[in-house]
């Protein structure tokens, strides 16, 4: 089945009791048994819920996995993955991951004796140097936020395999429409479904997809034992969002390409970060491993002043000033004071995250209106 068919049909059956074409929201905590231990596969809703099961089957198909396990948020999904580790184990991650992922690894798991190392993954040597006999997990996020660096998934997962270390890819920024890490050798793929999968900025949700039955079993055990499960209404909303994933993400990519070109030629714009531009340092890797280049664009303004950045951030009307990404509506954000405020300034500057860097999540609106909105905002400086 091709991707555009899978989003609508994979794992989705009409409801057997009524024929309802849409998966019902099974708003129930328990299920009546015919006799003790004799039930229809559902006993208690932390363990299993039919709305969630439909979404898990659908996500399994979208990422070409064996099983998918859903959680109440992207970070709850990541937390379950980290619970595969034990004290003394170590993690190696790329050094420009999502701030919340960094916080979970360092502030929470650090306390339990799990150490994380953060390295630039474009250098194989830096990566290999940071792997030791305690390394249990290599964490990859690509494209990264907000610099939109690209990590070579095949190359890093091959190193992980050779060293006997698990590999996990946070695929939130690409979505399964643009890249499928399990096909490139990753053991685990995870999403904040809050972003592109949901796509309508109305739900917080996370999912983990794996290929190996052993990992699936361990993660299911963790899901049930820890209990960070999503409600059925949230699963329904993600299922509904996914039905148009391919259309939305393609439109965002098409819009982003045009906006990146517009910004590149604008006299008040300094650097533009978009993997689809030939000038992007990882353009070739992006072209090889992604179907298209995504809907996120970051840029810096000439002069680099915070005051000018604020003028642009306050000057748009269609682009709403907000955190998050991946919804149908375009957003504008200021990483230094919003998403990445918890990262020390000198660490931010080292990766190019200046005070005047602006991040755009490009939605599916008419691109002419989006460009006009940016043009007006840039004329304020
Ligand atoms: C948002 C995000 C997360 C966290 O997901 P939540 O659903 O907000 O918990 C993790 N990774 C990336 C790349 C994200 O953008």
């Amino acid at each position: 089945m091709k991707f555009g068919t899978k989003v609508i049909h994979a794992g989705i059956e009409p409801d057997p009791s009524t024929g309802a074409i849409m998966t019902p929201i099974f708003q129930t905590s328990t299920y009546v048994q015919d006799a003790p231990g004799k039930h229809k596969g559902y006993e208690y809703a932390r363990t299993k819920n039919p709305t969630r099961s439909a979404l898990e089957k659908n996500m399994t198909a979208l990422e070409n996995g064996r099983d998918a396990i859903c959680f109440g948020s992207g970070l709850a999904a990541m937390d379950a993955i980290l619970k595969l580790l034990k004290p003394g184990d170590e993690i190696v991650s790329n050094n420009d991951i999502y701030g919340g992922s960094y916080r979970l690894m360092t502030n929470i798991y650090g306390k339990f004796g799990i150490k994380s190392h953060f390295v630039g993954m474009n250098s194989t040597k830096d990566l290999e140097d940071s792997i030791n006999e305690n390394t249990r997990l290599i964490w990859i996020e690509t494209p990264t936020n907000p610099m939109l660096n690209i990590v070579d998934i095949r190359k890093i997962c091959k190193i992980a395999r050779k060293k006997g270390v698990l590999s996990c890819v946070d695929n939130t920024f690409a979505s399964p429409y643009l890249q499928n890490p399990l096909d490139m050798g990753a053991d685990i793929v995870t999403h904040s479904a809050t972003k592109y999968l949901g796509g309508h900025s109305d739900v917080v949700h996370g999912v983990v997809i794996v290929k190996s039955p052993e990992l699936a079993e361990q993660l299911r055990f963790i899901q049930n034992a820890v209990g960070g499960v999503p409600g059925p209404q949230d699963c329904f909303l993600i299922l509904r969002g996914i039905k148009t994933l391919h259309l939305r993400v393609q439109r965002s990519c098409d819009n982003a390409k045009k906006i990146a070109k517009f910004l590149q030629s604008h006299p008040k714009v300094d650097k533009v970060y978009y993997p689809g531009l030939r000038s992007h340092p990882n353009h070739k890797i992006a072209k090889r491993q992604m179907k298209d280049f995504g809907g996120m664009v970051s840029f810096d303004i000439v002069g680099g002043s915070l005051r000018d950045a604020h003028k642009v951030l306050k000057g748009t009307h269609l682009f709403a000033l907000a955190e998050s990404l991946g919804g149908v509506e375009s957003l504008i954000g200021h990483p230094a004071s919003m998403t990445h405020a918890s990262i020390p300034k000198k660490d931010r500057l080292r990766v190019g995250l200046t005070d005047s860097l602006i991040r755009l999540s490009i939605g599916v609106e008419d691109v002419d209106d989006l460009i006009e909105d940016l043009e007006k905002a840039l004329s304020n400086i």
Side-chain angles (χ1 to χ4, degrees):
M1 214 187 268
K2 296 267 171 57
F3 193 87
T5 310
K6 278 196 222 174
V7 289
I8 293 159
H9 294 289
I12 315 286
E13 304 281 344
D15 174 48
S17 63
T18 61
I21 192 161
M22 283 299 125
T23 311
I25 300 167
F26 284 90
Q27 194 76 53
T28 188
S29 63
T30 192
Y31 310 87
V32 177
Q33 307 197 356
D34 296 334
K38 196 157 170 265
H39 53 74
K40 300 177 172 68
Y42 296 91
E43 293 165 87
Y44 183 62
R46 173 167 22 77
T47 318
K48 221 170 156 194
N49 174 286
T51 317
R52 193 170 92 213
S53 298
L55 173 57
E56 291 177 339
K57 284 198 189 108
N58 186 255
M59 276 309 307
T60 301
L62 297 193
E63 285 289 15
N64 302 324
R66 172 184 291 261
D67 202 2
I69 301 117
C70 289
F71 294 89
S73 71
L75 284 178
M78 177 180 182
D79 178 71
I81 297 165
L82 299 190
K83 284 197 166 76
L84 294 167
L85 277 54
K86 59 179 189 329
D89 287 347
E90 297 189 8
I91 303 168
V92 178
S93 162
N94 50 316
N95 58 9
D96 51 351
I97 57 169
Y98 178 71
S101 306
Y102 175 86
R103 182 174 58 201
L104 185 58
M105 285 180 193
T106 55
N107 296 21
I108 305 292
Y109 280 89
K111 273 197 316 205
F112 296 110
I114 292 168
K115 197 168 164 192
S116 297
H117 304 268
F118 301 93
V119 298
M121 287 209 180
N122 284 326
S123 152
T124 313
K125 186 177 177 308
D126 287 355
L127 172 69
E128 290 192 329
D129 284 352
S130 61
I131 298 176
N132 61 41
E133 71 277 8
N134 296 324
T135 309
R136 181 79 205 289
L137 175 68
I138 295 182
W139 186 270
I140 300 166
E141 186 180 313
T142 180
T144 66
N145 173 25
M147 304 314 299
L148 302 165
N149 290 315
I150 306 290
V151 176
D152 189 333
I153 298 175
R154 280 190 192 84
K155 191 170 88 185
I156 307 296
C157 291
K158 208 167 151 191
I159 295 172
R161 191 132 302 185
K162 202 175 73 195
K163 304 261 183 187
V165 173
L166 282 176
S167 55
C168 176
V169 177
D170 181 338
N171 204 22
T172 301
F173 267 48
S175 91
Y177 173 67
L178 295 181
Q179 77 190 7
N180 295 120
L182 296 180
D183 294 345
M184 296 184 237
D187 295 307
I188 306 170
V189 53
T190 185
H191 290 273
S192 166
T194 313
K195 318 293 168 53
Y196 286 103
L197 290 168
H200 295 75
S201 311
D202 51 10
V203 58
V204 172
H205 191 107
V207 57
V208 182
I209 310 97
V210 290
K211 247 188 172 143
S212 110
E214 293 79 29
L215 276 176
E217 197 186 319
Q218 289 171 41
L219 286 161
R220 283 233 167 259
F221 180 84
I222 292 168
Q223 181 197 42
N224 185 51
V226 179
V229 295
Q233 166 105 23
D234 289 357
C235 294
F236 175 87
L237 286 171
I238 300 294
L239 272 170
R240 179 183 172 133
I242 286 174
K243 289 180 203 298
T244 55
L245 178 69
H246 55 316
L247 308 175
R248 288 184 287 103
V249 176
Q250 188 57 59
R251 176 62 170 259
S252 289
C253 292
D254 294 345
N255 283 355
K257 248 173 273 174
K258 290 182 184 148
I259 288 171
K261 290 226 171 85
F262 158 77
L263 291 169
Q264 215 180 16
S265 64
H266 198 284
K268 287 178 183 162
V269 173
D270 185 6
K271 290 198 179 77
V272 180
Y273 301 91
Y274 184 64
L277 294 173
R278 234 167 304 187
S279 56
H280 187 285
N282 312 129
H283 175 67
K284 280 207 180 106
I285 308 169
K287 207 168 164 184
R288 201 161 58 228
Q289 75 185 15
M290 298 172 75
K291 188 180 158 87
D292 209 323
F293 302 103
M296 301 298 293
V297 179
S298 295
F299 66 101
D300 215 333
I301 47 185
V302 170
S305 91
L306 181 61
R307 250 191 68 216
D308 284 344
H310 274 187
K311 282 186 194 159
V312 178
L313 291 157
K314 286 197 296 204
T316 57
H317 296 286
L318 284 175
F319 281 88
L321 180 63
E323 295 199 6
S324 200
L325 62 120
V328 288
E329 61 285 299
S330 294
L331 302 180
I332 189 165
H334 183 234
S337 69
M338 293 165 73
T339 45
H340 291 66
S342 60
I343 299 174
K345 184 160 174 170
K346 71 168 183 4
D347 292 346
R348 274 198 275 114
L349 291 179
R350 197 146 23 99
V351 296
L353 204 168
T354 60
D355 280 346
S356 53
L357 188 82
I358 291 171
R359 187 189 87 171
L360 304 174
S361 170
I362 312 292
V364 302
E365 300 96 333
D366 191 298
V367 72
D368 292 342
D369 290 326
L370 294 177
I371 289 176
E372 192 186 314
D373 197 34
L374 289 171
E375 176 77 69
K376 276 196 190 129
L378 283 163
S379 72
N380 290 343
I381 52 178

